[in-house]
Amino acid sequence: MPIDYERDLNPEQYRVVTAEGGPMLVIAGAGSGKTRTLTYRVARLIDKGTPPERILLATFTNKAAREMLGRVELLSGVDVRRLWGGTFHHIANRVLRRQGYRLGYGRNYSIMDTDDTKSLLNACIADAGIDTKAGRFPKGNVLGEIIGYSVNTVTPLEDVVGLKYPHFNHLLEDIVDIARSYRERKKSLNMMDFDDMLANWLELLRNEPEALREYAEHFLHILVDEYQDTNSLQAAILDLLGSRHRNLMVVGDDHQSIYSFRGANFENILRFPDRYPDAKVFKLETNYRSTPQILDLANRSIVRNHDQFQKELRAVRKGGFKPVYVPVRNVTLQAAFVARRIMDLIMEGIPIKEIAVLYRAHYHSMELQMELTRRGIPFEIRSGIRFFEMAHVKDITSYLRVLVNPLDEAAWKRVLGLYEKVGKVTADRVWKALAAEKDPLAAIRDAAWVKRVGKAAAPGLVRLGETLALLCDKIAEQAPSDLIHLLLNRGYREDLQERYTDSFSREEDLIQLANFSSRFANLTDFLAELSLLTNTTENEDSGAAEAKDQVILSSIHQAKGLEWAVVFIIWCAEGMIPLARALNEAGGEEEERRLFYVATTRAKDQLYLCHPLIDYSRGMGMVPLRPSRFIEELEEDAFHPTELPYEQWIIDED
């Protein structure tokens, strides 16, 4: 049936969905139906005759992409696989698989994850003969962050070290040399790390006129979600892709720009009207999430920021309670208050999974974790190892990566290390011998070659060669899921039993991995998607977690995009939020104020602002704490103050 846009959308959303083409900036406030607006806009474009394959919808998380594309399919009835939809990195991979040859890459390039980057950088450091202990040289993971920030912000490496890592200034020459070696080595091994995917996409569009012409002509409409989180690379890519038809619609909320530490450039959304003087600017200010009282506090909390688009969230809901301000004597009583109030809320019928406690830094939750444990209140901390980063999953996928790209150094070294008498030194030596061979897979399957390269490790390496021979024989006829089961049956099941006490659970993980892989037509597509999932943002990982009957403990950064009936913000004290060290950064205070705003707008029904009045500092004893400046900036009628005697009530009740 035809879509009734006027019925399904509010007037603000309807104006965006039905607008004519050209550059558009949509300032979408928290809880204002941003996803609905984007999906209806795509459906409208299709209704009006735009071929789906000529629409690009860029998101920041796989979860957001699935949700939006699923809604578009329900609305329009169109097979959404025809759209160019997904994360920036997913779309970059799609482009570079076709066009990467222009930059000197083979179609079968490997996508490196964080561990691969660390491993390869450590190899570069070792080969350069740098004494890492003498000069406290940064390890591979730290160096990877430095290089990644440089790439994503389009900032010279020298400036990044000077501004963000000044303690490495005396090592700058070596750092630059290692970065150069790392870049050259990736290219020679037909590998890209996650940052390369965006950098290479941009290089392709800037330096290959035919590629730019093809894609700029192809995309009639480009729609971008969470534009306030884009970095300089992403903004430049979008400008180039939209340069032909100029139908670029970016949606975001400047008030929720909180990821500068990852390289997000706040200027992208703030200066969009300057870059596109003819851009139409829309505002979505109708909030469907929170009570009027919570929105009143949130609106007041952000007004002191100078760099912003002025807007005021308006509540659809009626009634509600004022947010509650709860200063308590110390951190122990803060934890006691939160835990006791959670117990009361559960008794009142609030589902436990609808309660969240937010904080600026992870260590702020320590006392609360202990208190919740003591009281037997189940909780989930939104952190930890992702499924695709677990050791046994990476072991199995490394075998598969070697099959697709026999020059994948990181995968080879991980696989080699699984066999007896193959330590890091032996693995490095065997890898270098393999890399010198025309066909590494053929070499490892030759028992005579193996014995020449690694005499002591030969038995294990021969077993590896036999396994890879079997995989190579089966790769053409069997799906990725069959290859995973083959590896389990070729000895990895026994390896799990020897190495882990929870071997059965880990085997079930691998069976689920095999089930996941069955949706892919071939091994290359499966591994590409796996790498993209492994590199998902911290925010997505928290949002994708299954809803359980547990209180959620989360940093504010991880809570963005989520909502709960009841939210406690703890440690609302000066120096904690805003975090003292963040105030030393350019624009730090305004970003910290946006963080506070994001935290308050996660609450639907009840909001509590808590902090201790004193803290213990080593060497200074008991230190008095002021309320956060973000609380002091609010007029007293913005919240309901809880008097300190309430603490005594907690103690008496306990």
Side-chain angles (χ1 to χ4, degrees):
M1 295 182 64
I3 303 169
D4 189 336
Y5 292 95
E6 285 193 85
R7 180 198 64 195
D8 293 351
L9 303 168
N10 69 31
E12 294 171 344
Q13 296 166 341
Y14 182 77
R15 283 192 290 272
V16 174
V17 168
T18 58
E20 296 299 322
M24 297 167 56
L25 171 62
V26 181
I27 304 298
S32 64
K34 165 178 64 71
T35 299
R36 186 179 190 84
T37 304
L38 270 166
T39 52
Y40 270 79
R41 173 72 176 176
V42 174
R44 173 82 173 186
L45 292 173
I46 294 171
D47 272 356
K48 291 296 183 181
T50 303
E53 58 272 13
R54 300 191 70 181
I55 298 173
L56 172 64
L57 175 60
T59 67
F60 268 84
T61 68
N62 290 294
K63 180 187 176 186
R66 287 192 298 269
E67 181 180 359
M68 289 189 192
L69 293 173
R71 291 193 192 184
V72 169
E73 190 165 55
L74 286 173
L75 285 170
S76 66
V78 168
D79 183 352
V80 292
R81 287 177 294 184
R82 295 172 59 190
L83 274 80
W84 282 66
T87 65
F88 280 92
H89 293 89
H90 176 87
I91 297 165
N93 179 59
R94 188 171 172 182
V95 171
L96 292 170
R97 290 290 175 190
R98 292 184 63 245
Q99 300 283 349
Y101 72 91
R102 296 179 184 272
L103 304 178
Y105 289 91
R107 291 180 182 270
N108 65 333
Y109 65 81
S110 295
I111 303 173
M112 305 167 66
D113 64 17
T114 304
D115 281 350
D116 299 333
T117 295
K118 175 183 174 182
S119 176
L120 189 56
L121 279 166
N122 282 334
C124 292
I125 293 168
D127 289 348
I130 295 174
D131 187 348
T132 55
K133 294 182 180 179
R136 301 185 65 85
F137 198 82
K139 294 185 178 180
N141 57 326
V142 177
L143 200 52
E145 287 188 13
I146 296 173
I147 295 170
Y149 189 86
S150 170
V151 171
N152 283 298
T153 58
V154 197
T155 305
L157 193 60
E158 295 84 349
D159 293 347
V160 172
V161 173
L163 291 171
K164 296 183 69 67
Y165 304 89
H167 47 289
F168 292 141
N169 269 334
H170 64 292
L171 301 169
L172 183 58
E173 185 176 344
D174 283 337
I175 289 174
V176 172
D177 287 343
I178 293 298
R180 184 185 306 110
S181 173
Y182 172 63
R183 187 166 56 250
E184 293 169 353
R185 198 155 172 174
K186 284 184 295 181
K187 191 72 171 285
S188 69
L189 296 172
N190 197 31
M191 301 174 75
M192 296 186 201
D193 63 25
F194 219 50
D195 303 316
D196 291 329
M197 299 183 74
L198 296 181
N200 286 334
W201 189 9
L202 180 57
E203 182 183 346
L204 181 75
L205 296 176
R206 279 181 170 168
N207 300 334
E208 299 293 336
E210 289 185 15
L212 173 60
R213 187 161 46 249
E214 175 183 342
Y215 289 103
E217 177 61 38
H218 179 80
F219 294 123
L220 294 175
H221 287 273
I222 300 168
L223 302 92
V224 188
D225 186 25
E226 302 287 11
Y227 187 70
Q228 79 280 347
D229 294 334
T230 54
N231 60 35
S232 298
L233 291 175
Q234 291 159 331
I237 288 167
L238 293 169
D239 288 344
L240 287 167
L241 291 176
S243 59
R244 170 66 179 85
H245 299 289
R246 301 189 79 251
N247 294 322
L248 174 61
M249 184 178 105
V250 300
V251 182
D253 183 3
D254 57 304
H255 288 174
Q256 297 188 68
S257 179
I258 59 174
Y259 293 121
S260 64
F261 69 96
R262 290 182 186 163
N265 187 351
F266 181 58
E267 296 290 313
N268 290 345
I269 190 167
L270 200 64
R271 307 303 172 205
F272 188 85
D274 298 334
R275 300 204 319 276
Y276 294 90
D278 58 334
K280 296 183 283 290
V281 180
F282 300 87
K283 294 181 181 179
L284 303 181
E285 299 174 288
T286 304
N287 178 283
Y288 293 89
R289 175 187 299 157
S290 305
T291 63
Q293 294 84 350
I294 291 173
L295 291 186
D296 176 60
L297 184 145
N299 286 329
R300 295 193 202 189
S301 74
I302 200 69
V303 294
R304 288 178 182 251
N305 273 12
H306 298 291
D307 292 331
Q308 63 170 299
F309 293 101
Q310 295 295 332
K311 63 178 176 296
E312 184 170 339
L313 294 179
R314 299 183 299 272
V316 170
R317 299 176 57 187
K318 307 297 181 184
F321 304 98
K322 279 188 177 183
V324 181
Y325 171 50
V326 190
V328 293
R329 189 164 63 243
N330 56 43
V331 66
T332 302
L333 286 175
Q334 176 179 248
F337 165 76
V338 173
R340 183 53 191 257
R341 185 65 189 124
I342 288 172
M343 294 174 68
D344 291 343
L345 291 165
I346 295 169
M347 293 292 292
E348 293 167 13
I350 303 295
I352 191 170
K353 64 184 179 183
E354 279 291 329
I355 302 171
V357 183
L358 307 183
Y359 37 82
R360 175 64 178 87
H362 183 67
Y363 67 86
H364 290 165
S365 69
M366 182 176 63
E367 293 84 4
L368 181 60
Q369 290 182 49
M370 292 189 289
E371 183 68 15
L372 294 177
T373 301
R374 185 176 72 82
R375 293 175 180 262
I377 299 173
F379 63 92
E380 175 189 351
I381 301 174
R382 290 287 168 87
S383 57
I385 300 174
R386 299 185 180 105
F387 178 84
F388 298 106
E389 294 175 337
M390 291 191 290
H392 51 297
V393 174
K394 288 179 69 65
D395 289 347
I396 292 297
T397 55
S398 291
Y399 279 101
L400 305 181
R401 286 168 51 183
V402 163
L403 298 178
V404 172
N405 180 11
L407 293 177
D408 190 331
E409 179 180 359
W412 268 113
K413 287 184 175 179
R414 188 175 190 97
V415 169
L416 289 166
L418 297 175
Y419 290 83
E420 62 269 21
K421 296 187 178 179
V422 181
K424 289 185 178 180
V425 174
T426 302
D428 188 59
R429 185 176 69 250
V430 174
W431 154 249
K432 288 179 178 177
L434 286 169
E437 294 291 326
K438 183 177 181 181
D439 186 348
L441 285 172
I444 198 69
R445 290 152 62 184
D446 182 347
W449 182 91
V450 165
K451 291 174 182 176
R452 287 198 307 272
V453 172
K455 187 175 181 180
L461 296 178
V462 168
R463 190 156 58 90
L464 168 59
E466 292 170 351
T467 298
L468 289 174
L470 189 56
L471 289 169
C472 289
D473 291 340
K474 300 290 186 183
I475 190 171
E477 60 188 65
Q478 294 191 338
S481 58
D482 297 320
L483 299 177
I484 293 170
H485 283 291
L486 189 152
L487 284 166
L488 273 170
N489 296 329
R490 278 287 304 176
Y492 194 75
R493 180 180 289 107
E494 289 72 23
D495 288 347
L496 287 175
Q497 292 168 355
E498 291 174 5
R499 292 159 55 193
Y500 303 109
T501 57
D502 58 344
S503 60
F504 293 106
S505 174
R506 290 174 185 260
E507 183 177 343
E508 288 177 356
D509 289 341
L510 296 176
I511 292 170
Q512 290 303 313
L513 178 69
N515 293 341
F516 174 77
S517 72
S518 63
R519 71 184 69 176
F520 297 91
N522 57 64
L523 191 54
T524 300
D525 289 347
F526 167 59
L527 291 175
E529 186 66 16
L530 204 63
S531 294
L532 296 173
L533 287 170
T534 302
N535 285 281
T536 52
T537 63
E538 185 179 338
N539 185 56
E540 176 177 13
D541 188 53
S542 63
E546 181 182 354
K548 300 175 183 177
D549 289 332
Q550 298 174 321
V551 175
I552 301 301
L553 273 57
S554 172
S555 70
I556 301 171
H557 283 103
Q558 291 170 310
K560 183 175 172 291
L562 305 177
E563 60 183 42
W564 295 273
V566 182
V567 169
F568 296 84
I569 309 175
I570 59 174
W571 281 102
C572 293
E574 192 68 10
M576 303 299 179
I577 180 167
L579 205 59
R581 67 172 180 269
L583 297 177
N584 296 325
E585 305 261 341
E589 180 178 345
E590 296 214 345
E591 179 153 334
E592 291 290 299
R593 189 175 283 107
R594 294 194 293 269
L595 263 172
F596 183 75
Y597 174 87
V598 166
T600 62
T601 53
R602 300 310 94 200
K604 294 188 287 187
D605 304 325
Q606 298 183 46
L607 175 64
Y608 296 86
L609 309 175
C610 313
H611 72 87
L613 292 168
I614 55 176
D615 189 21
Y616 178 80
S617 174
R618 181 175 295 179
M620 298 180 63
M622 308 307 289
V623 178
L625 295 177
R626 282 177 45 214
S628 165
R629 67 185 68 185
F630 305 143
I631 289 178
E632 290 185 334
E633 290 168 358
L634 297 168
E635 294 84 355
E636 288 188 4
D637 64 344
F639 48 74
H640 174 72
T642 298
E643 299 297 330
L644 290 181
Y646 187 69
E647 295 177 31
Q648 190 61 49
W649 175 83
I650 297 173
I651 296 169
D652 293 343
E653 287 291 312
D654 287 349

